[in-house]
Amino acid sequence: MAKEAGVSRATVSRVMNGLPTVDPELAERVRVAAAALGYEPDGTAQSLALGRTGVVGIIVPDLGNPVFQAVLRGLSSAAGERDYRVLIADSHEQAEEEPILAREIRRRSDGLVLCAPRMPDEVLRQVAAARTPVVLLNRRLDGLDVPTVSVDHAHGMRAIAAHLAGLGHRQVAYLSGPANSAANRVRLETLRAAGTGRFDLHRVAGGAHFEDGHAAVEHLLATGATAVVGYNDLVAYGALARMAELGISVPEEVSVTGFDDIPFARYANPPLTTVAIPLDELGRQAWNRLWSHLAGEEPSPDVQFTPEVVIRHSTGPAPIRR
């Protein structure tokens, strides 16, 4: 190709690698010659030459969860604007898999986003200490020197507690999430503290999926609760489905709330009261901080989003029980 374009091999290499140090006229001659010869650059060779892969990775606990799908959409859209692609790994809620996946992804990418990691604090510190740039998403860890994008789960849960107490509920059940989820711990602890003096809180084991909420309803009803707070919208949605099967009227007999405001929460029957989080924006903000690292710039300050309660038809006044 160098002979065809009448330039040196070094010039061809610089043009094919997208370097801006070539005279525009020479660069155009190289591109014309490449088109005429049907030449397509070798992406692997380009990556080696530039020291970049053009890929960033993200590890999520469960790709089937619409929350993580929305975060991924925001991340991949923003990364695409810089001609980057996103490599996705699903840990399937297995905390022990996350460090292994992180090690494998780092071999194939320029940076890594850890989304709601389940691994213990000490393991997370070790993973974050590696040389590859890391951004922590939807989890905060004091003293960890990596850019962090998070959600104020406590604020959202305090708002849910105030909403239910204001409706007169004095017996509330929390359908808990995965035991190793930091968000679950914060939500449970906050709800317990916010309910003190206002309602009794009953914790019922659950999970993160629709079927977990569906399977827990009989246990929820046994507590005598007039309101149920789901760890997330999926378990709340599962609880709604099971209550409908049992002929339990929501919210006339039991109120139900979720957390996250996934896209179909508003289409539940009845539409689900929940806590809204800007999921796409979480992904975009994670990319912005990762890109700053890749570009050698100072990352933007950590950001924590304040969620808001969205009141729909799944919550209502506590029923009068004699």
Side-chain angles (χ1 to χ4, degrees):
M1 188 198 304
K3 182 178 180 180
E4 181 80 13
V7 298
S8 68
R9 291 183 179 179
T11 297
V12 170
S13 177
R14 289 196 294 271
V15 173
M16 290 296 100
N17 285 318
L19 300 178
T21 56
V22 181
D23 179 271
E25 182 182 346
L26 295 180
E28 181 61 21
R29 282 160 54 184
V30 171
R31 285 190 286 269
V32 169
L37 295 172
Y39 173 80
E40 294 184 5
D42 185 321
T44 301
Q46 284 186 311
S47 296
L48 291 172
L50 296 171
R52 291 283 180 86
T53 65
V55 173
V56 294
I58 182 172
I59 300 174
V60 299
D62 177 15
L63 194 53
N65 189 322
V67 168
F68 303 124
Q69 294 172 12
V71 168
L72 175 60
R73 183 169 56 246
L75 174 68
S76 59
S77 175
E81 293 169 6
R82 296 283 187 175
D83 292 325
Y84 261 79
R85 301 297 176 260
V86 179
L87 177 63
I88 310 157
D90 185 343
S91 69
H92 304 286
E93 294 286 357
Q94 302 298 313
E96 65 275 11
E97 286 295 311
E98 292 176 338
I100 300 171
L101 292 171
R103 187 165 56 249
E104 290 300 318
I105 286 178
R106 279 174 159 151
R107 294 173 180 170
R108 298 167 171 81
S109 67
D110 301 330
L112 175 63
V113 176
L114 296 172
C115 182
R118 307 309 199 202
M119 67 187 89
D121 290 355
E122 62 274 14
V123 178
L124 179 56
R125 293 183 191 279
Q126 294 172 8
V127 170
R131 292 176 58 187
T132 306
V134 171
V135 172
L136 187 60
L137 176 56
N138 210 16
R139 180 168 169 183
R140 296 179 66 86
L141 185 56
D142 292 340
L144 189 62
D145 188 24
V146 299
T148 301
V149 178
S150 62
V151 173
D152 189 348
H153 301 282
H155 176 89
M157 199 55 83
R158 283 192 294 267
I160 284 286
H163 172 60
L164 294 177
L167 290 171
H169 294 279
R170 299 296 175 259
Q171 300 293 324
V172 176
Y174 176 63
L175 182 52
S176 66
N180 56 7
S181 164
N184 177 64
R185 291 193 294 272
V186 172
R187 294 174 191 182
L188 173 58
E189 292 167 2
T190 303
L191 190 59
R192 182 177 287 132
T196 302
R198 297 197 280 187
F199 53 74
D200 296 328
L201 183 66
H202 309 272
R203 177 186 171 276
V204 175
H209 303 103
F210 177 94
E211 55 267 29
D212 297 320
H214 189 276
V217 166
E218 281 79 0
H219 299 290
L220 292 168
L221 297 175
T223 68
T226 61
V228 173
V229 179
Y231 159 72
N232 65 13
D233 290 345
L234 285 178
V235 296
Y237 203 95
L240 283 177
R242 180 57 179 155
M243 288 179 188
E245 293 170 0
L246 296 174
I248 296 168
S249 181
V250 177
E252 289 77 13
E253 295 180 75
V254 180
S255 289
V256 178
T257 78
F259 206 107
D260 294 329
D261 197 25
I262 59 178
F264 54 82
R266 70 186 64 187
Y267 305 116
N269 186 22
L272 185 64
T273 293
T274 186
V275 177
I277 295 172
L279 300 171
D280 280 41
E281 187 61 20
L282 288 177
R284 282 194 160 271
Q285 291 297 328
W287 165 256
N288 289 344
R289 283 152 182 77
L290 194 55
W291 172 250
S292 294
H293 265 292
L294 298 174
E297 302 170 354
E298 187 68 24
S300 301
D302 291 350
V303 61
Q304 184 175 60
F305 288 93
T306 302
E308 299 294 335
V309 170
V310 178
I311 299 174
R312 298 193 178 105
H313 301 304
S314 67
T315 52
I320 299 174
R321 294 181 175 175
R322 295 182 174 84

